[in-house]
Amino acid sequence: MSAERFKVVVTDFITDALEPERRALGDIAGVTALGACRDEELAGRVEDADALLVYHNIGVSRATIERLRRCKVIVRCGVGFDNVDGAAARRRGIPLCNIPDYGTEEVADTAIAMTLALARGVSLMNSRLRAGNGPWSYQQTVPLARLRGRVFGIVGLGRIGGAAALRAKALGMEVVFYDPYVPDGRDKSLGVRRVEKLEQLLAQSHVVSLHCPLTDETRGMINAAAIAGMPRGSYLVNTARGAIVDTAAIPSAIASGQLAGAGLDVLPTEPPADNDPLIAAWRDPAHPAHHRVLINPHSAFYCEEGLLEIRVKASDAVRRALLGQPLRNVVN
Ligand code: NAI
């Protein structure tokens, strides 16, 4: 087998010396990184690629996929694959694989970190005291409820939802989940309680934590009406995908006290526009959302070990595809 037989392209995000990729693939392929930020930038640079490694800084459209002449696999270097047109790839006979497990624990940790920061008043007190607001006292956060015994409601009991369930149980919370696709029995192995309808979950959860994918069914699922169906003074945590939540509904829900706080690792548009209503409220020191909404830049997946794990596992997936070996984690 001659060296440089195949061409592997990393479309976005990674722009360093590609050491993990070259270590895994160097004997059979040349690997290049484009550092693209938009699908259009791929034109003329990927058509002859044998494999694409796609991160989260771009979407890969049907038009791009239809121009691929010899691609044997597209690997989404992450869990969510809504930024690649998987149906278009399927029509072309190109498998789309994801890397499902590199950040399971970190995302669950972040959901719990946000839950604790909100429900223990950690972020609220820090934010108000630093701004010189109010007394040097726990009274900044009154009333806070004891977490033990309260309901932690999980939407989507997959890998991350399951890991979040175990962590919430360790805090003494009662874990309830809504997931129409998870087979019976997973509730028993995790010691959690299933509800049949989303409204039932919302109505009883002190914390609602989202762990489902972004699909036509889940887009906008948590809107103003859904938030109104949660107990007054509850918390919303989203580490899944931004567009699952209608974030424009959050500022008024915080201002009215319907939500006591929200933790958002993900937003419908990343980075958000300055005039986005949620961002404007969050930046405005006079708006209650300023102290009660936590926003992170889609970073829940991140730790150094996990980042290396994605690159090694993605390169291994490409290697299997190029050598005609059975693929794992095909999602289209
Ligand atoms: P998974 O595929 O193991 O679990 C997703 C669960 O959601 C499945 O059990 C599925 O049945 C359920 N589900 C699907 N449609 C649903 C619906 N309409 N209502 C309720 N549940 C539904 O995926 P995993 O690994 O747990 O990841 C979950 C999501 O987290 C990913 O789709 C991804 O978008 C997001 N994510 C975010 C990261 C971040 O950095 N913030 C990093 C990794 C993943």
Side-chain angles (χ1 to χ4, degrees), residues 196-313:
E196 298 298 331
K197 293 199 167 117
L198 177 64
E199 301 76 59
Q200 294 170 320
L201 177 116
L202 297 173
Q204 60 188 291
S205 297
H206 189 57
V207 180
V208 171
S209 192
L210 306 180
H211 300 291
C212 55
L214 176 63
T215 62
D216 289 345
E217 208 176 36
T218 63
R219 187 180 298 276
M221 182 164 77
I222 305 299
N223 54 17
I227 293 171
M230 292 167 64
R232 189 173 168 76
S234 50
Y235 301 94
L236 176 65
V237 174
N238 186 10
T239 57
R241 280 292 181 271
I244 298 168
V245 178
D246 176 6
T247 49
I250 291 179
S252 57
I254 297 272
S256 72
Q258 173 60 16
L259 283 180
L264 307 171
D265 181 60
V266 285
L267 294 170
T269 305
E270 295 168 1
D274 287 336
N275 63 357
D276 177 284
L278 171 68
I279 296 301
W282 171 69
R283 289 206 172 118
D284 176 3
H287 196 288
H290 186 71
H291 302 296
R292 291 185 177 273
V293 176
L294 293 174
I295 296 180
N296 279 183
H298 197 147
S299 50
F301 73 91
Y302 166 71
C303 71
E304 286 296 313
E305 294 86 343
L307 216 48
L308 180 60
E309 196 177 332
I310 300 184
R311 298 178 68 171
V312 170
K313 286 184 167 170

Side-chain angles (χ1 to χ4, degrees), residues 58-307:
I58 58 162
V60 180
S61 67
R62 176 178 159 185
T64 294
I65 288 169
E66 287 178 348
R67 288 199 313 274
L68 299 173
R69 288 195 299 271
R70 43 189 249 199
C71 187
K72 292 155 194 68
V73 71
I74 300 173
V75 180
R76 217 326 254 151
C77 303
V79 183
F81 44 87
D82 46 272
N83 61 330
V84 179
D85 191 331
R90 186 176 59 237
R91 280 195 297 277
R92 295 288 321 282
I94 304 172
L96 169 65
C97 301
N98 72 345
I99 308 296
D101 60 335
Y102 73 94
T104 304
E105 293 144 303
E106 285 71 33
V107 180
D109 288 348
T110 299
I112 296 298
M114 286 183 155
T115 297
L116 287 174
L118 293 167
R120 292 300 311 134
V122 174
S123 56
L124 176 66
M125 284 187 277
N126 179 68
S127 176
R128 288 182 60 87
L129 290 176
R130 186 179 43 207
N133 281 341
W136 196 268
S137 161
Y138 75 92
Q139 288 161 358
Q140 293 273 9
T141 60
V142 170
L144 284 190
R146 173 173 286 166
L147 274 184
R148 177 169 295 279
R150 295 271 171 155
V151 173
F152 188 86
I154 292 178
V155 181
L157 193 73
R159 289 173 294 268
I160 297 169
L166 294 175
R167 286 156 174 73
K169 282 179 57 164
L171 299 175
M173 299 187 75
E174 185 196 343
V175 177
V176 169
F177 77 97
Y178 165 71
D179 187 332
Y181 305 109
V182 87
D184 287 340
R186 188 154 158 75
D187 45 342
K188 294 193 176 161
S189 61
L190 289 171
V192 298
R193 181 161 58 84
R194 184 197 278 271
V195 293
E196 298 298 331
K197 293 199 167 117
L198 177 64
E199 301 76 59
Q200 294 170 320
L201 177 116
L202 297 173
Q204 60 188 291
S205 297
H206 189 57
V207 180
V208 171
S209 192
L210 306 180
H211 300 291
C212 55
L214 176 63
T215 62
D216 289 345
E217 208 176 36
T218 63
R219 187 180 298 276
M221 182 164 77
I222 305 299
N223 54 17
I227 293 171
M230 292 167 64
R232 189 173 168 76
S234 50
Y235 301 94
L236 176 65
V237 174
N238 186 10
T239 57
R241 280 292 181 271
I244 298 168
V245 178
D246 176 6
T247 49
I250 291 179
S252 57
I254 297 272
S256 72
Q258 173 60 16
L259 283 180
L264 307 171
D265 181 60
V266 285
L267 294 170
T269 305
E270 295 168 1
D274 287 336
N275 63 357
D276 177 284
L278 171 68
I279 296 301
W282 171 69
R283 289 206 172 118
D284 176 3
H287 196 288
H290 186 71
H291 302 296
R292 291 185 177 273
V293 176
L294 293 174
I295 296 180
N296 279 183
H298 197 147
S299 50
F301 73 91
Y302 166 71
C303 71
E304 286 296 313
E305 294 86 343
L307 216 48

